Amino acid sequence: MDGIRLQKYLVLAGAAPSRRKAEDLIRAGRVTVNGAVAGLGARVRPGDEVRVGGRKAVPPERRVVLALYKPKGYETTRTSRSGAPTVYELLPELPGLHPVGRLDRDSEGLLLFTNDGALTQRLTHPRYGVKKVYRVWSRKGTPPPDLLRKLERGLVLKSGVRVQALKARPKEGGAVITLTEGKKREVRYMMAAIGYPVERLLRVKMGPIRLGGQKPGSWRELEEAELKALDRAAFGDPEKEGSGARSRSKR
């Protein structure tokens, strides 16, 4: 049978960050192929027209990955319900462009955007262990090492959710926290749990990509060396057999 599964096509087109999310769109009846509502078993063949919510979904001819310095006060969404400015007001209009994870409105720092749904899935799923590094400041100052070690050992919040830092070290006025997953407001909850509520939160690194000297509100397209490093972090080393890495030679 020729063509590719519709779920895979939607991920490649940037219409869904994962196959599971693509299946949700299909089940909801939001996906059509050549004008007909598609089912989960549908396949896409050359020349087929796929639409999601009426909008045409087409895999990009060129993969794009942008690094944005998200300022405080901006929401990681395309349309704000609160009237706050959104990150898309800072970015160029590119088909399929979506955020790799999120930062809440009060947080700032490095936020990646891409039109590559498979890359997004790998960078955000806890299974793949891609590190995110946050610099935090607290009005109470710098937590003592013994409290930060509690974060590394893991603790259970009042909500019953267990959180754990891969690494937590003191830094003047606060700490540097490294995670391999990013539950909503996780760093803030962690710091509050040890009695050092966050005053300012800045993500400084995601995988091998650093915020560096970017200014708030600025964006840049990743360089080729950065893209290769990001692919290694997400998919493994393509030179190692059995790594599961995929080739980017045609991208």
Side-chain angles (χ1 to χ4, degrees), residues 43-238:
R43 301 184 75 86
V44 181
R45 298 168 178 81
D48 285 347
E49 181 183 83
V50 178
R51 291 181 177 269
V52 179
R55 179 177 293 182
K56 195 171 182 179
V58 180
E61 294 182 4
R62 183 177 76 89
R63 180 178 61 149
V64 174
V65 185
L66 306 180
L68 171 72
Y69 184 146
K70 176 198 165 303
K72 182 177 180 180
Y74 280 72
E75 293 187 355
T76 309
T77 183
R78 189 169 288 277
T79 304
S80 171
R81 295 180 179 179
S82 67
T86 78
V87 290
Y88 283 96
E89 296 175 28
L90 304 170
L91 296 168
E93 283 287 341
L94 293 173
L97 194 67
H98 60 270
V100 181
R102 294 178 180 274
L103 285 173
D104 64 54
R105 186 166 67 180
D106 295 329
S107 299
E108 57 187 296
L110 179 64
L111 188 57
L112 299 181
F113 287 79
T114 185
N115 55 7
D116 185 341
L119 178 65
T120 299
Q121 182 183 19
R122 286 281 183 147
L123 291 175
T124 55
H125 199 293
R127 178 193 310 169
Y128 303 111
V130 178
K131 298 176 184 177
K132 294 95 176 173
V133 182
Y134 302 83
R135 171 70 164 102
V136 298
W137 289 262
S138 174
R139 289 189 180 88
K140 289 191 64 177
T142 308
D146 62 316
L147 287 182
L148 293 177
R149 282 194 291 272
K150 283 187 176 182
L151 300 184
E152 294 178 342
R153 291 194 296 267
L155 50 84
V156 178
L157 304 175
K158 291 180 179 179
S159 62
V161 175
R162 189 176 190 277
V163 293
Q164 184 175 11
L166 180 66
K167 187 175 182 181
R169 60 182 178 85
K171 189 79 171 179
E172 184 178 359
V176 176
I177 308 292
T178 302
L179 304 176
T180 54
E181 58 180 321
K183 298 185 181 78
K184 188 175 181 180
R185 300 179 71 85
E186 184 173 10
V187 175
R188 294 181 183 276
Y189 291 143
M190 280 183 171
M191 293 293 288
I194 62 171
Y196 282 77
V198 170
E199 180 180 17
R200 182 188 177 198
L201 187 151
L202 175 72
R203 182 153 69 191
V204 296
K205 189 178 180 184
M206 184 171 187
I209 309 303
R210 297 178 181 273
L211 182 63
Q214 279 187 243
K215 302 296 183 183
S218 69
W219 63 269
R220 65 184 182 84
E221 188 167 353
L222 297 194
E223 299 176 357
E224 188 62 30
E226 291 178 303
L227 289 174
K228 290 180 179 178
L230 197 61
D231 280 342
R232 285 195 296 271
F235 300 101
D237 189 340

